[in-house]
């Protein structure tokens, strides 16, 4: 399972488009790099919502524009 996680995590960092779900997850994950105490989930986001570490949708940023995202739950 760890190998699958590593491939998925690599897709979040490679800069290529992999479709809507991966691109959305990439924006979620990039917030974690900007705010290390938030958005810990790489493969699932439900825990961040449950424990209050999810960044609100309105704070997602892609370039200079705010990109509203619905959290994966």
């Amino acid at each position: 399972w760890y190998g699958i996680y590593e491939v998925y995590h690599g897709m979040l960092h490679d800069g290529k488009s992999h479709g809507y779900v991966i691109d959305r997850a990439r924006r979620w994950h990039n917030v974690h790099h900007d705010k290390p105490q938030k958005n810990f989930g790489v493969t699932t986001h439900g825990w961040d919502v449950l424990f209050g570490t999810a960044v609100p949708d309105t704070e997602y940023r892609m370039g200079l524009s705010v990109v509203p995202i619905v959290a994966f739950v």
Side-chain angles (χ1 to χ4, degrees):
W1 290 110
Y2 186 73
I4 294 170
Y5 164 82
E6 281 298 310
V7 169
Y8 177 76
H9 189 224
M11 290 169 63
L12 299 180
H13 284 279
D14 69 8
K16 299 176 187 174
S17 178
H18 294 285
Y20 176 75
V21 172
I22 299 295
D23 293 348
R24 193 166 113 166
R26 176 181 293 126
R27 290 192 299 269
W28 174 275
H29 185 63
N30 284 342
V31 171
H32 173 70
H33 288 285
D34 291 338
K35 299 178 180 189
Q37 299 304 315
K38 300 288 184 177
N39 290 13
F40 292 101
V42 173
T43 57
T44 180
H45 310 294
W47 294 110
D48 286 307
V49 173
L50 182 67
F51 290 112
T53 56
V55 172
D57 298 346
T58 55
E59 292 185 33
Y60 281 90
R61 298 196 181 278
M62 183 178 223
L64 298 175
S65 61
V66 174
V67 179
I69 303 286
V70 176
F72 290 69
V73 180

